[in-house]
Amino acid sequence: DAGVTQSPTHLIKTRGQQVTLRCSPKSGHDTVSWYQQALGQGPQFIFQYYEEEERQRGNFPDRFSGHQFPNYSSELNVNALLLGDSALYLCASTITLPGSNQPQHFGDGTRLSIL
Amino acid sequence: SQELEQSPQSLIVQEGKNLTINCTSSKTLYGLYWYKQKYGEGLIFLMMLQKGGEEKSHEKITAKLDEKKQQSSLHITASQPSHAGIYLCGADMNNQGGKLIFGQGTELSVKP
């Protein structure tokens, strides 16, 4: 039973470039969330996708966008990269069940470094 | 100030000792989740608490939720080096089952 998988594991970009990160949810999950984790901090919620639509969004600029595909996998795109975007980007998946909260399961993340 | 505060920020204990990590919310909790993270890696789900007074255990780790105090505690009994890592509490504060707010984490070291 494969867990949440993310690619790539590491990425180095320069300021102003664009990046795409990918995530495959755990088998049986239909909802994907993305988080940004700076060094020494807890993860910060970017957005969540369900039924190929953005369902919730955190306090991140429009440079951060996403997509969910029919197979539930997801992409996170970041445009016009800034030095401050350097972080560990975590993908989490869960299953949406009416009237029931389910835990989110996390991937190992993509370490993004901006030079 | 943080919506979710963890204490202590770091902890060093001798192997075999018990320890407790606290997580306090400034808002109503609709769900409280505990995770463990090894440095630079993903989060491993430990436990989910949803009801006031709820208590769950997994191996030597026990978590409790005090709804009135908007607080949760994670207790490890007879700590082992394998317990070392960063413990994070995450909370659902809008009852929509999506966005989790995380504390800043508690770094635990266990000395053999």
Side-chain angles (χ1 to χ4, degrees):
Chain A
D1 179 21
V4 180
T5 57
Q6 292 186 241
S7 63
T9 53
H10 294 86
L11 204 48
I12 300 174
K13 292 285 188 178
T14 56
R15 281 180 297 174
Q17 284 190 310
Q18 176 263 343
V19 70
T20 298
L21 310 182
R22 296 177 175 82
C23 172
S24 291
K26 183 175 179 178
S27 177
H29 287 182
D30 58 8
T31 305
V32 174
S33 300
W34 287 91
Y35 292 81
Q36 179 195 66
Q37 187 178 25
L39 208 58
Q41 301 294 318
Q44 300 264 323
F45 177 79
I46 303 175
F47 41 54
Q48 184 182 75
Y49 276 83
Y50 173 65
E51 293 187 336
E52 302 180 49
E53 302 237 337
E54 184 182 288
R55 182 159 71 171
Q56 286 188 70
R57 189 178 182 94
N59 190 25
F60 278 80
D62 292 344
R63 297 187 298 109
F64 290 77
S65 63
H67 189 79
Q68 186 179 34
F69 299 93
N71 67 352
Y72 309 120
S73 67
S74 176
E75 287 182 352
L76 164 65
N77 300 294
V78 187
N79 293 325
L81 287 165
L82 304 173
L83 291 177
D85 294 332
S86 295
L88 181 67
Y89 287 85
L90 295 161
C91 172
S93 73
T94 188
I95 183 167
T96 293
L97 298 173
S100 171
N101 287 336
Q102 298 297 313
Q104 295 184 26
H105 293 264
F106 285 77
D108 285 337
T110 294
R111 170 70 63 187
L112 177 62
S113 300
I114 311 300
L115 303 179
Chain B
S1 63
Q2 293 257 11
E3 290 179 283
L4 211 57
E5 292 271 359
Q6 282 186 238
S7 62
Q9 288 190 4
S10 64
L11 198 50
I12 303 172
V13 300
Q14 200 70 36
E15 183 177 357
K17 295 293 186 185
N18 303 336
L19 63 108
T20 299
I21 298 169
N22 292 304
C23 176
T24 303
S25 173
S26 60
K27 298 181 178 179
T28 301
L29 295 171
Y30 293 98
L32 193 291
Y33 304 80
W34 283 99
Y35 290 88
K36 180 184 175 185
Q37 184 177 32
K38 292 284 191 182
Y39 179 74
E41 297 180 7
L43 279 62
I44 299 166
F45 171 69
L46 296 175
M47 277 171 278
M48 175 176 78
L49 304 166
Q50 289 194 284
K51 301 173 187 175
E54 189 171 14
E55 180 175 322
K56 287 189 177 177
S57 293
H58 176 68
E59 296 179 345
K60 294 185 178 180
I61 302 176
T62 301
K64 300 179 187 179
L65 179 62
D66 185 329
E67 204 171 45
K68 288 182 182 176
K69 291 183 180 177
Q70 294 177 175
Q71 188 176 66
S72 178
S73 60
L74 184 85
H75 184 79
I76 298 178
T77 304
S79 58
Q80 300 168 355
S82 61
H83 287 128
I86 299 168
Y87 288 83
L88 289 151
C89 62
D92 177 359
M93 293 183 179
N94 59 16
N95 201 23
Q96 292 180 11
K99 175 180 180 179
L100 289 183
I101 303 291
F102 282 91
Q104 74 273 36
T106 295
E107 185 170 6
L108 171 65
S109 300
V110 180
K111 290 191 169 184

